[in-house]
Amino acid sequence: MPPAKKRTRSYDSAKIRAAVLAQFGNVREAVVGLTAEQLALPTALGDWTVRELVSHLAMAVESVNRTIELSAELSTQQPATTPVTTSIPTAFTPVLPLLRWPFVTADLAPDISRDVKAVAASASPDELFERTAGRIAALLPATPDDRVITTRVGAMRLGDFLVTRTVELIVHTNDLNRAVAGLGVPYDRQALAACTRLLADALAVKAPGASTEVRIPPYAVVQCVEGPRHTRGTPPNVVETDPLTWIRLATGRTTWREALDAAHVSASGERADLGGLLPLMR
């Protein structure tokens, strides 16, 4: 299990909230125009069709609504002395740090896939997005970032959970764009930045050190990998790539060798091979 002792980057609450809503809006606008034939297209995500992928994008934001509602409901029911073993978040409940989130999602894939298929069969994409948009507009503004909520991976602070939503939205927007030729759903700049930074910081958690500098302009620079620490001048081990390539590498959408062969990554130095560290999550 990767160590989690890296200091967590701070994120601007207003920007993250706006980014989640903006990227959700970008996807919603594109989904309205999808035909039945396009919704039936395959994706690179196992047996998911575009319809199921789109449903998952709506669910990524609907999960914010559900956790807010659940936390509000439980807070009114919770007794003054709740046992620590309960699933209801309390002051004593261990809260999952943001940088642990990328490493604890893989085991959820079967449950998520089951839920996605059920939701996709229950309503049209337009209905899902309209319902989710109305609910988050009512719920999110009244809920503070420090509210502890119950998620699939355990208790998290709402502010941290919203940062993870930028990853879900950006990664799966990219999946959607690759599945539907010419769709071109835009990437909100703040959402893309937050997604890139969280996954870059996750690499530094997985491979702590300062011998290699990973550059993902214009959003992130991190140092990682054990070895001689670089202090000045040009680092001896440098990796550089663009945000979308980095996100595809970090989530297993492309391999290190494929990115190198396509010249989407430059890597120099004996400790600049990140192939053995990727992907970080799937």
Side-chain angles (χ1 to χ4, degrees):
M1 189 70 69
K5 293 186 178 180
K6 185 182 186 299
R7 183 171 62 87
T8 305
R9 185 192 302 268
S10 63
Y11 292 86
D12 183 285
S13 173
K15 289 181 179 179
I16 292 298
R17 287 172 176 244
V20 169
L21 296 177
Q23 191 58 38
F24 177 75
N26 289 343
V27 176
R28 183 186 181 190
E29 185 175 346
V31 165
V32 170
L34 291 179
T35 65
E37 290 76 13
Q38 288 173 316
L39 289 171
L41 288 171
T43 70
L45 303 177
D47 62 351
W48 283 12
T49 64
V50 167
R51 183 188 185 97
E52 287 159 340
L53 173 56
V54 165
S55 298
H56 183 59
L57 277 157
M59 289 170 62
V61 175
E62 178 58 26
S63 63
V64 178
N65 297 331
R66 291 199 314 270
T67 57
I68 289 175
E69 287 181 332
L70 180 61
S71 68
E73 178 183 344
L74 293 178
S75 66
T76 62
Q77 298 175 357
Q78 182 177 316
T81 56
T82 305
V84 177
T85 56
T86 184
S87 61
I88 301 174
T90 75
F92 304 102
T93 303
V95 175
L96 185 75
L98 177 57
L99 285 178
R100 293 287 303 129
W101 177 82
F103 304 113
V104 298
T105 60
D107 292 342
L108 301 174
D111 289 343
I112 291 173
S113 185
R114 179 201 63 217
D115 292 348
V116 164
K117 290 179 181 297
V119 169
S122 70
S124 71
D126 289 0
E127 292 172 327
L128 292 175
F129 276 82
E130 181 177 1
R131 183 189 314 154
T132 299
R135 281 163 49 75
I136 200 164
L139 292 168
L140 187 58
T143 311
D145 279 354
D146 60 1
R147 171 76 62 83
V148 176
I149 57 176
T150 300
T151 75
R152 286 181 184 266
V153 296
M156 292 187 74
R157 292 182 176 84
L158 176 62
D160 289 344
F161 188 60
L162 288 171
V163 177
T164 73
R165 299 306 85 191
T166 68
V167 177
E168 292 284 350
L169 286 166
I170 291 295
V171 169
H172 291 303
T173 293
N174 185 244
D175 291 333
L176 181 59
N177 280 336
R178 299 174 84 181
V180 183
L183 187 62
V185 183
Y187 301 93
D188 175 76
R189 181 179 175 85
Q190 292 295 339
L192 182 59
C195 176
T196 302
R197 289 166 181 158
L198 179 54
L199 293 175
D201 289 345
L203 174 65
V205 167
K206 185 173 184 178
S211 70
T212 302
E213 186 166 283
V214 179
R215 301 170 178 173
I216 313 162
Y219 300 129
V221 177
V222 296
Q223 292 187 339
C224 58
V225 182
E226 290 184 349
R229 184 179 183 86
H230 169 72
T231 57
R232 65 180 65 183
T234 302
N237 305 287
V238 177
V239 174
E240 185 165 335
T241 188
D242 64 276
L244 285 179
T245 297
W246 167 243
I247 289 165
R248 291 167 187 160
L249 284 166
T251 58
R253 268 63 176 176
T254 192
T255 67
W256 179 253
R257 177 49 54 187
E258 288 169 343
L260 283 176
D261 290 347
H264 293 156
V265 171
S266 64
S268 60
E270 63 181 14
R271 290 182 172 84
D273 186 347
L274 302 182
L277 298 171
L278 300 169
L280 301 172
M281 64 179 297
R282 293 183 184 275

